[in-house]
Amino acid sequence: MADLTRLTAAELSQKLQAREISSVDVTRAHLDRIAAVDGDIHAFLHVSSAALATAADVDTRRGDGEKLGPLAGVPIAIKDVLCTFDMPSTAGSKILEGWVPPYDATVVRKLREAHLVPLGKTNMDEFAMGSSTEHSAFGPTHNPWDLDRIPGGSGGGSAAAVAAYEAPLALGSDTGGSIRQPAAVTGSVGVKPTYGGVSRYGAIALASSLDQVGPVTRTVLDAALLHDVIGGYDPRDSTSLKDPWPSFADAARTGARDRSLKGVRVGVVKQLNGDGFQVGVRDRFAESLEVLAAAGAEIVEVSAPNFEYAIAAYYLILPAEASSNLAKFDSVRFGLRVNPKGGGTVEDVMAATREAGFGPEVKRRIILGTYALSAGYYDAYYGSAQKVRTLIQRDFDAAFERADVLISPAAPTTAFKLGEKLEDPLAMYLNDVTTIPANLAGIPGMGLPMGLAPEDGLPTGIQLMAPARADVRLYSVGAALEALLEDRWGHTLISQAPELAVAR
Ligand code: GLN
């Protein structure tokens, strides 16, 4: 039998529905792959002991003739920021080590209701703060293309798991790029949906006005299939949108079939390319624009002058919200409790717990955020950042008058070396220069592979952005672009990985 770990979720779905394969076969193949390669990659913090039983249950249901959704029986990896009642949920932090939540995040509940098979929980930067997964309290994840390099972050575990064929699908969360940037540097596809399009209930909060949960996959169609499962209104999330959503999978299928972009206005954002971007990234991006134009797209240049201030505004808004969200880790309600030597007051216990339980990046941001929100500085910092946020939203509004989708590289460089930026927080923050604006405006964004950089042979990613609630455009245009690039190169984008550092 062909290696089941090499198939896309859409292919697995077809074979499962035709009963050519069983979910137990598929799940076992992925568990074996995890056992074989995850010692090198460390994409997983926890591997589920229930996966095979869940798979067997799906097979029984199918055997009984139950009507099942398209992804029933397909395994999935889940970022450890999402609460799962049957597995620890640590958000990559010592302060939550071993904590098993009493409930599932809404997106996880939806996975179970659609009969996907959770494989385990994936590694991440602590509380999703970072761009390399090196801030995980449980050790870094390694990029499957080159084990000495970072897999992106904060969701490096989810991206590495799909890129290394340990899982066909994964869930991530994206506050400033944590789905799209890891996708870019591992050659995978990642989508940050419109803010409010996917429930945040049960997603351990980083910055609540920016966080969105979304798919991490190897193809655009797989992302669409997964988005169809996790999206939609949730009364438990006060920011959840009540919109009816079209089928993203249908849009992806049509886009890939037609391969036509006639009449689609594609806006190239001037500020999200150029100086500071790696040569190979810029070359691949230029090639992608040619491909889009040849398929009939109208390429227009758009300018978003306030994007220059996006990182600065983000690193005030995010720490401000994070400092407040992380106040609940107080040693009383859940997770770690450290009793100071010789006893002490409740405050002493809280201080000792937070001192021992949080890593340096988390402490840095809590201090920054507390300062930015303090009386006397609030207007100067937090207030100004919110004004910049409005200006960035207006830049997007103006750009979308002239373009149906916006486009940029998904990350300025290919994967950098482990350790390279760890001691330099500002250098780390700059990796999200292309992705942060979409979070500040609440609009959807997709990262997808655009080929290897000639100078280092590593994956590069392209980003598509659409107006709020127009996620469907990402899938039609993204699937068309993916198909066009594959036509040009004569192979699927992920199979450009002949040299995956882990055994094929
Ligand atoms: N790298 C960004 C940060 O450190 C984005 C994180 C995220 O999207 N969760 O904040």
Side-chain angles (χ1 to χ4, degrees), residues 128-131 154 174-178 206 314-315 318 365 432:
M129 299 180 189
S131 305
S154 64
D174 190 312
T175 306
S178 286
L206 170 53
Y314 173 87
Y315 278 101
L318 177 140
R365 295 198 196 189
D432 298 308

Side-chain angles (χ1 to χ4, degrees), residues 164-320:
Y165 302 101
E166 294 173 270
L169 301 170
L171 283 183
S173 68
D174 190 312
T175 306
S178 286
I179 289 176
R180 290 161 289 158
Q181 181 260 3
V185 300
T186 57
S188 26
V189 175
V191 178
K192 181 200 95 71
T194 293
Y195 184 77
V198 174
S199 171
R200 290 183 296 110
Y201 178 77
I204 299 170
L206 170 53
S208 308
S209 76
L210 302 162
D211 299 343
Q212 265 300 279
V213 176
V216 181
T217 61
R218 291 192 296 264
T219 68
V220 174
L221 175 58
D222 283 2
L225 286 162
L226 182 52
H227 197 160
D228 283 338
V229 171
I230 60 172
Y233 177 65
D234 178 12
R236 289 188 164 126
D237 173 352
S238 63
T239 60
S240 184
L241 293 170
K242 291 210 167 104
D243 301 39
W245 299 91
S247 161
F248 299 127
D250 286 351
R253 285 199 185 93
T254 309
R257 188 195 59 216
D258 295 352
R259 288 164 163 71
S260 167
L261 292 161
K262 225 173 153 65
V264 179
R265 298 170 306 162
V266 175
V268 181
V269 188
K270 196 173 119 197
Q271 285 77 6
L272 300 184
N273 196 9
D275 286 350
F277 284 65
Q278 191 177 317
V279 178
V281 170
R282 292 167 66 170
D283 289 352
R284 285 301 183 203
F285 185 64
E287 181 190 27
S288 301
L289 292 181
E290 276 170 32
V291 164
L292 288 166
E298 184 192 330
I299 310 287
V300 293
E301 189 184 77
V302 298
S303 182
N306 295 294
F307 283 18
E308 190 186 326
Y309 311 112
I311 291 189
Y314 173 87
Y315 278 101
L316 287 165
I317 294 167
L318 177 140

Side-chain angles (χ1 to χ4, degrees), residues 447-470:
L448 69 146
M450 60 170 179
L452 306 182
E455 62 271 31
D456 55 20
L458 292 168
T460 66
I462 191 164
Q463 174 178 232
L464 295 172
M465 292 172 282
R469 301 167 196 253

Side-chain angles (χ1 to χ4, degrees), residues 216 322 324 362:
V216 181
S324 152
V362 173

